Amino acid sequence: MVPACSIAVDDLPDGLIVTDRFGRVLAVNRAAVRLTGVPAARAVGKDIDEVFPFRDHDGREWWKALDPQGGLRTRTRVPERPLHLPGGQELHVAARLVREPARGGDVARVTITLRDGGARARLERSRADLVSTVAHELRSPLTSVKGFTATLLAKWTRFTDEQKRVMLETVNNDADRVTRLITELLDVSRIESGRLEVRRQVVDVPARARRVVAGRVAAGEPEDRFRLVVDDDLPEMWLDQDKIDQILGNLVENAVRHGRGTVTIVIESVGWGVAVSVRDQGEGIEPELAPRVFRQFWRGNSRRRGGTGLGLFIVKGLVEAHGGTITVQRAPEGGAEFRFTVPTGTPDFA
């Protein structure tokens, strides 16, 4: 029987290596085996520098620099830092010196934790992309707002009422753009942290779709560009109305911005819920690109058309918060078809 402590160690998401005070490997968990490629059977009982020869960016040996038996007797923690193995993979490594007795005693064991450096680098790049995107998207509208308001304040009497109205409308539109960006960023934060709340009520999805279309028409799109197809007998749907509006609005905007021809919205009953498809007649999305569509900052080949690249990522998060799924595929008449399905049934209020 495997000891309970071994099961707990192997369940840890991070790699773990345990050595004695001399650097002899006592235990290696599954995550450490996966990260380093060194089987536990080959590592246990060997010197750590023999099986896990960690080096820093300057090629220095990490274990020798660690010197568990040297230094202050109060030292117990070694900060995380990026290190390399001979294969070239980067790992973020931290250590704890376990002393007996705990205060001022000799080092009995060294516990070493490993994290995937590639995953950390991707996360940091994602955060850098977010900062860059936010800075870029905010700079243009804020520059416009500042420029027009400064001009109006300095030269109010020199402009006609029509000129003032045009300038104020521009300021208003740019302020709306900033508000939308901030809302998107808050949604991304809630989705990534798992703090997205769903407030369910009975929602008439076809009525919400008609409302979204009416908004696009009021904004200047021709009415005949949109087509709504609805099943006659839809089940009752308990959903978050605001989030359904956001999902439909983002998908329709995506079809208008990146597609061509008629935008068709199909709402139909399926086995376990209701499916909503939004189709356009544009170029569509290549099958190999489909897995990337719902990632942050994905804009395909349409960067010139604007947008932050966060809309579809948010849509996926909102659909999944309802317990649903979303896919993208080729529409029957060409173009792209985004199809999301949400479950029906009365929620449990207990």
Side-chain angles (χ1 to χ4, degrees):
M1 180 180 294
V2 179
C5 60
S6 298
I7 296 174
V9 167
D10 279 335
D11 285 345
L12 292 173
D14 296 329
L16 178 68
I17 300 170
V18 181
T19 76
D20 64 15
R21 72 181 69 184
F22 304 108
R24 188 178 299 110
V25 177
L26 303 176
V28 180
N29 76 345
R30 290 175 187 164
V33 171
R34 175 178 55 81
L35 290 169
T36 64
V38 179
R42 184 159 70 86
V44 174
K46 302 289 182 62
D47 288 340
I48 186 170
D49 248 354
E50 179 183 345
V51 286
F52 301 112
F54 295 114
R55 301 290 189 272
D56 65 16
H57 291 300
D58 295 322
R60 290 173 295 202
E61 299 178 20
W62 176 75
W63 181 260
K64 286 185 178 179
L66 180 66
D67 188 17
Q69 300 185 73
L72 297 174
R73 296 180 71 85
T74 56
R75 183 173 62 127
T76 59
R77 301 182 67 84
V78 180
E80 185 178 77
R81 60 182 302 186
L83 299 173
H84 295 273
L85 287 173
Q89 69 267 42
E90 182 181 80
L91 298 173
H92 288 261
V93 181
R96 181 173 181 270
L97 308 180
V98 181
R99 296 182 178 273
E100 295 179 356
R103 291 191 176 185
D106 293 332
V107 173
R109 300 181 301 283
V110 181
T111 58
I112 302 164
T113 57
L114 313 176
R115 300 176 189 266
D116 183 1
R120 177 70 62 86
R122 288 191 294 273
L123 177 60
E124 291 175 353
R125 284 197 299 271
S126 176
R127 288 173 177 170
D129 287 343
L130 181 61
V131 172
S132 176
T133 298
V134 171
H136 175 76
E137 293 294 328
L138 286 176
R139 184 183 297 115
S140 177
L142 289 179
T143 299
S144 170
V145 168
K146 176 63 177 175
F148 279 121
T149 52
T151 300
L152 285 169
L153 288 171
K155 303 177 181 179
W156 179 266
T157 58
R158 299 187 186 182
F159 296 108
T160 66
D161 288 345
E162 180 61 22
Q163 289 172 323
K164 293 174 184 176
R165 185 183 64 81
V166 171
M167 295 171 75
L168 289 172
E169 284 179 348
T170 304
V171 169
N172 183 64
N173 291 336
D174 283 333
D176 287 342
R177 182 176 164 189
V178 171
T179 301
R180 284 195 301 272
L181 175 60
I182 293 172
T183 300
E184 286 184 343
L185 294 174
L186 289 173
D187 286 337
V188 168
S189 174
R190 293 188 184 106
I191 289 168
E192 290 188 328
S193 65
R195 293 185 291 107
L196 196 65
E197 295 183 5
V198 176
R199 297 179 174 86
R200 295 182 184 270
Q201 64 185 79
V202 176
V203 175
D204 185 343
V205 175
R208 308 318 296 175
R210 294 187 189 97
R211 182 176 180 274
V212 169
V213 170
R216 300 298 310 187
V217 172
E221 295 290 337
E223 187 173 358
D224 60 2
R225 187 176 182 186
F226 301 95
R227 184 164 68 101
L228 182 62
V229 180
V230 182
D231 268 4
D232 292 333
D233 188 21
L234 291 174
E236 184 177 79
M237 289 166 279
W238 285 78
L239 308 167
D240 187 313
Q241 181 168 288
D242 290 339
K243 291 178 175 57
I244 291 299
D245 286 351
Q246 192 173 354
I247 292 167
L248 291 169
N250 280 358
L251 291 179
V252 170
E253 180 180 0
N254 184 75
V256 169
R257 177 180 293 174
H258 302 295
R260 293 195 300 269
T262 302
V263 175
T264 302
I265 305 170
V266 179
I267 305 173
E268 55 190 333
S269 178
V270 293
W272 57 281
V274 170
V276 180
S277 302
V278 179
R279 306 166 180 166
D280 63 64
Q281 297 175 325
E283 298 175 0
I285 297 170
E286 297 298 329
E288 61 270 18
L289 297 179
R292 308 180 196 173
V293 168
F294 298 105
R295 295 179 185 173
Q296 291 184 36
F297 311 116
W298 190 89
R299 285 179 274 187
N301 297 321
S302 302
R303 291 183 181 273
R304 66 185 185 279
R305 301 185 190 181
T308 61
L310 296 173
L312 292 176
F313 172 82
I314 292 170
V315 164
K316 183 174 184 289
L318 297 179
V319 170
E320 291 179 348
H322 283 85
T325 59
I326 185 167
T327 58
V328 59
Q329 59 191 10
R330 189 167 185 80
E333 299 179 5
E337 175 182 323
F338 287 87
R339 178 183 175 89
F340 71 90
T341 305
V342 288
T344 57
T346 305
D348 183 6
F349 292 105

